[in-house]
Amino acid sequence: IYMYYINSIFYSKITKNFNKNIEFIVYFICIFHQITMGRNMFKAMYSSSEIRENTFQLEDEEVNSIQSNETTEINKKALTKCKKCGVLRPPGAHHCRICECCIERMDHHCYILNCCVGEKNYRYFFSYTLLSFINSSIALIFCCLSFYNYWQDIKMKRKIMK
């Protein structure tokens, strides 16, 4: 919403000296950027890295060894049982105390998106963060250019009044 505001308010002042084709291309890039950022945000929020109970199919011997807190080699991965939720989890999985579930290759719990960043949504989270940085940079550039144009207008009015 903020970027749409920046585009609609300051866009006409900044691009007043542009060619119409370049103006359309710049505007299209800004809109495409906003759509991509929104898509990555929703993908990061709803691509769950949560480990569910039926994720790993084990035989009775392997279940007994895991319940006795021994590590079991399955496809060269050592599975362990979570002490808090009781789910079998691969190496690198951690239990999130906020989500109350185990997350594969957990990086952190993001309070902005209100979800855990893990194996399945890390790339969407990273691209959302990168696009947010680019978005903030564009907004800062638009604000600076708008302020510069405003300052030039004030200077011109002062010269005319003298």
Side-chain angles (χ1 to χ4, degrees):
I1 294 174
Y2 176 72
M3 192 62 188
Y4 178 75
Y5 173 75
I6 294 292
N7 284 343
S8 61
I9 300 294
F10 299 124
Y11 183 73
S12 60
K13 292 180 182 179
I14 294 167
T15 60
K16 63 184 173 186
N17 297 327
F18 280 0
N19 183 354
K20 289 293 180 184
N21 293 334
I22 295 174
E23 185 177 334
F24 175 75
I25 291 170
V26 169
Y27 192 71
F28 179 75
I29 289 171
C30 288
I31 296 299
F32 181 74
H33 173 78
Q34 292 302 309
I35 291 169
T36 306
M37 192 173 96
R39 175 191 168 271
N40 286 329
M41 181 185 74
F42 284 111
K43 285 286 232 177
M45 287 172 64
Y46 297 115
S47 296
S48 176
S49 295
E50 178 182 347
I51 300 173
R52 294 188 170 65
E53 258 185 72
N54 297 331
T55 304
F56 300 101
Q57 301 295 327
L58 301 177
E59 296 179 15
D60 292 333
E61 301 167 0
E62 295 165 336
V63 171
N64 292 335
S65 67
I66 290 173
Q67 287 175 349
S68 63
N69 290 329
E70 298 173 12
T71 58
T72 304
E73 290 290 328
I74 299 175
N75 296 332
K76 298 182 181 179
K77 289 186 178 181
L79 296 177
T80 56
K81 188 173 184 179
C82 180
K83 295 177 183 175
K84 295 181 181 173
C85 63
V87 173
L88 297 176
R89 58 186 186 178
H94 296 286
H95 187 84
C96 178
R97 61 183 171 84
I98 297 163
C99 294
E100 293 296 325
C101 62
C102 287
I103 307 295
E104 287 185 73
R105 294 172 66 192
M106 181 176 174
D107 188 47
H108 68 284
H109 182 86
C110 180
Y111 290 100
I112 295 171
L113 300 177
N114 194 27
C115 67
C116 286
V117 178
E119 181 180 28
K120 295 180 183 165
N121 62 352
Y122 185 78
R123 68 179 175 159
Y124 299 117
F125 174 77
F126 181 75
S127 62
Y128 169 71
T129 307
L130 181 67
L131 290 173
S132 295
F133 173 74
I134 293 170
N135 193 9
S136 299
S137 301
I138 290 171
L140 180 66
I141 290 169
F142 278 176
C143 288
C144 290
L145 288 174
S146 178
F147 181 73
Y148 178 75
N149 288 339
Y150 176 73
W151 189 257
Q152 293 299 325
D153 289 344
I154 289 177
K155 283 176 133 180
M156 290 296 286
K157 287 179 183 177
R158 285 183 182 170
K159 284 183 180 180
I160 292 173
M161 293 188 143
K162 288 183 179 182

